């Protein structure tokens, strides 16, 4: 199993149990600036999970067919590039 780690900083809208990022925010919705930990876990057989953990909010994950797809999602949503990941 492969594990990759990254951190970033972003606005998180909503509440600790019902949050979203700015591309999904509603007009006038409150937000917090948060440190965000990201983990990609998996392998080519069982596929990959991108786990997103904003500080003070519950963690969420998404499932991806490939490591590239998980990294693409992290870059699309949070601007985390391949160079930002460590093992």
């Amino acid at each position: 199993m492969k594990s990759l780690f990254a951190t970033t900083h972003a606005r998180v809208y909503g509440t600790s149990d019902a949050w979203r990022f700015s591309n999904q925010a509603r007009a006038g919705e409150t937000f917090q600036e948060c440190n965000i930990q990201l983990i990609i876990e998996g392998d080519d057989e069982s596929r990959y999970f991108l786990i997103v953990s904003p500080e003070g909010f519950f963690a969420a994950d998404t499932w991806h067919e490939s490591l590239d797809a998980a990294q693409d999602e992290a870059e699309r949503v949070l601007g985390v590039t391949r160079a930002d990941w460590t093992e």
Side-chain angles (χ1 to χ4, degrees):
M1 172 152 359
K2 184 174 195 87
S3 294
L4 296 177
F5 305 90
T7 58
T8 193
H9 191 82
R11 284 184 177 177
V12 178
Y13 293 79
T15 63
S16 63
D17 60 350
W19 58 269
R20 60 200 132 293
F21 293 116
S22 60
N23 63 337
Q24 302 168 327
R26 298 179 191 113
E29 188 171 18
T30 60
F31 64 87
Q32 288 184 344
E33 296 284 342
C34 293
N35 292 321
I36 299 171
Q37 294 181 338
L38 297 103
I39 302 170
I40 296 175
E41 291 186 341
D43 56 43
D44 289 338
E45 185 175 313
S46 59
R47 307 300 181 233
Y48 295 87
F49 282 98
L50 170 61
I51 304 162
V52 180
S53 301
E55 190 175 305
F57 294 80
F58 77 92
D61 62 30
T62 55
W63 180 86
H64 300 274
E65 288 280 337
S66 67
L67 179 59
D68 283 339
Q71 289 178 307
D72 288 346
E73 180 70 0
E75 186 167 9
R76 183 185 72 76
V77 174
L78 292 164
V80 176
T81 68
R82 280 171 173 65
D84 296 326
W85 293 96
T86 60
E87 291 189 31

